């Protein structure tokens, strides 16, 4: 039984999580030979102030400002 943990910046829609879960489950079935009903995923939402990339908080990284703003706006 594959147990998959997914960490995402907060703001993804239920539709996005649903589509992602379906796609990952499809691949687990195809690649791992798992039964679809045995593929478990847990989504953990994180905020940009508790994750850093390259030593810079996502909330303070100008190169990620558009992504962070879009998630905050629900876009």
């Amino acid at each position: 039984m594959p147990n998959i943990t997914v960490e995402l910046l907060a703001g993804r829609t239920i539709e996005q999580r649903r589509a992602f879960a379906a796609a990952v489950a499809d691949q687990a079935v195809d690649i791992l030979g798992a039964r679809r009903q045995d593929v478990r995923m847990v989504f953990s939402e994180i905020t940009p102030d508790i994750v850093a990339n390259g030593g810079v908080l996502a909330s303070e990284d100008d190169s990620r400002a558009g992504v962070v703003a879009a998630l905050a706006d629900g876009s």
Side-chain angles (χ1 to χ4, degrees):
M1 168 190 327
N3 293 298
I4 302 164
T5 302
V6 180
E7 292 183 343
L8 294 168
L9 286 178
R12 305 293 180 179
T13 66
I14 188 76
E15 292 82 12
Q16 288 173 314
R17 290 191 305 271
R18 185 180 295 120
F20 184 87
V24 171
D26 289 343
Q27 293 301 307
V29 170
D30 291 346
I31 295 169
L32 302 175
R35 295 184 322 156
R36 187 174 185 84
Q37 64 267 32
D38 291 337
V39 179
R40 179 172 36 163
M41 271 172 262
V42 175
F43 289 91
S44 297
E45 288 193 332
I46 55 177
T47 57
D49 60 332
I50 65 166
V51 63
N53 298 293
V56 178
L57 290 174
S59 60
E60 298 172 348
D61 185 347
D62 291 339
S63 71
R64 297 177 186 278
V67 172
V68 172
L71 289 172
D73 293 340
S75 305

